[in-house]
Amino acid sequence: MGKLGFEKGWVKGEWQEQKDEGKLHMNEEEIQRYIEKLQGYIEKLQKNEEEMRENKEKMKKNEEKIQEIDEKIQEIKEKIQENEVKIQEDKEKIQQIKEKIRKNEMKIQMIKEKIQENEESGRMKKTEVDG
């Protein structure tokens, strides 16, 4: 007898009792067991097909979510780039302001020196007048 017990037993679309070395290939109980096994396999296949369909749907939803995330990431990258440009502009403005402050400090120093010179020359004049 073969793996399924069908060898030489299934002839022209119907089951026939045939003797192979004096043994019947399958009796009705064996046939019923095989039918039940096959039904079990069919049920498992159907469950697997349903799971595959569900998994395909989940994959499609996940791909859509991934696409949305990718789009958001792209938007964030663009905003980061815009911010980097603004930061660079701000750094340049800060540098310009620092330069103006430095120039103003130099002017203030020059004014202080002139004031000091004027005070000193005023004292001299006063001492000349007093003297």
Side-chain angles (χ1 to χ4, degrees), residues 98-127:
K98 284 180 176 180
E99 186 65 26
K100 285 181 182 178
I101 289 171
R102 191 183 63 75
K103 287 179 181 177
N104 285 337
E105 286 175 343
M106 289 174 61
K107 287 180 183 177
I108 290 170
Q109 187 61 34
M110 288 174 59
I111 292 171
K112 283 181 178 179
E113 289 173 3
K114 284 185 181 179
I115 290 173
Q116 192 174 359
E117 287 174 12
N118 287 340
E119 286 177 350
E120 288 175 4
S121 70
R123 277 189 229 132
M124 288 183 169
K125 288 181 183 176
K126 188 175 185 183
T127 53

Side-chain angles (χ1 to χ4, degrees), residues 16-17 29 31-33 39 48 50 61 81 109:
Q16 295 180 0
E17 291 181 330
E29 289 176 15
I31 293 171
Q32 188 60 38
R33 276 185 294 191
Q39 286 173 336
N48 287 344
E50 181 62 28
K61 287 180 182 177
Q81 197 170 5
Q109 187 61 34

Side-chain angles (χ1 to χ4, degrees), residues 3-4 6 32-50:
K3 289 181 183 175
L4 294 176
F6 282 107
Q32 188 60 38
R33 276 185 294 191
Y34 284 116
I35 290 172
E36 288 171 4
K37 276 186 179 181
L38 290 173
Q39 286 173 336
Y41 294 143
I42 290 169
E43 288 175 11
K44 285 181 183 178
L45 284 172
Q46 288 172 338
K47 285 180 185 177
N48 287 344
E49 286 177 351
E50 181 62 28

Side-chain angles (χ1 to χ4, degrees), residues 1-112:
M1 204 174 340
K3 289 181 183 175
L4 294 176
F6 282 107
E7 284 134 42
K8 298 181 185 176
W10 193 258
V11 178
K12 296 183 184 176
E14 44 183 67
W15 183 257
Q16 295 180 0
E17 291 181 330
Q18 294 183 5
K19 293 188 178 184
D20 184 14
E21 298 175 11
K23 297 180 184 176
L24 286 177
H25 281 275
M26 293 181 93
N27 62 32
E28 286 184 29
E29 289 176 15
E30 288 175 322
I31 293 171
Q32 188 60 38
R33 276 185 294 191
Y34 284 116
I35 290 172
E36 288 171 4
K37 276 186 179 181
L38 290 173
Q39 286 173 336
Y41 294 143
I42 290 169
E43 288 175 11
K44 285 181 183 178
L45 284 172
Q46 288 172 338
K47 285 180 185 177
N48 287 344
E49 286 177 351
E50 181 62 28
E51 287 177 9
M52 283 176 56
R53 270 191 294 264
E54 290 172 3
N55 288 338
K56 282 182 181 178
E57 288 176 18
K58 287 178 184 177
M59 281 176 53
K60 186 176 180 182
K61 287 180 182 177
N62 286 341
E63 287 173 358
E64 290 172 0
K65 287 179 182 177
I66 288 170
Q67 182 65 30
E68 289 175 15
I69 290 170
D70 284 345
E71 290 172 6
K72 287 180 182 177
I73 287 172
Q74 189 60 36
E75 288 175 17
I76 290 170
K77 284 180 178 179
E78 290 172 5
K79 286 181 181 178
I80 288 172
Q81 197 170 5
E82 289 173 9
N83 285 339
E84 287 175 345
V85 168
K86 287 179 182 177
I87 287 170
Q88 187 60 37
E89 290 172 353
D90 288 348
K91 283 181 177 180
E92 291 170 6
K93 287 178 183 176
I94 288 170
Q95 191 59 39
Q96 291 172 355
I97 291 170
K98 284 180 176 180
E99 186 65 26
K100 285 181 182 178
I101 289 171
R102 191 183 63 75
K103 287 179 181 177
N104 285 337
E105 286 175 343
M106 289 174 61
K107 287 180 183 177
I108 290 170
Q109 187 61 34
M110 288 174 59
I111 292 171
K112 283 181 178 179

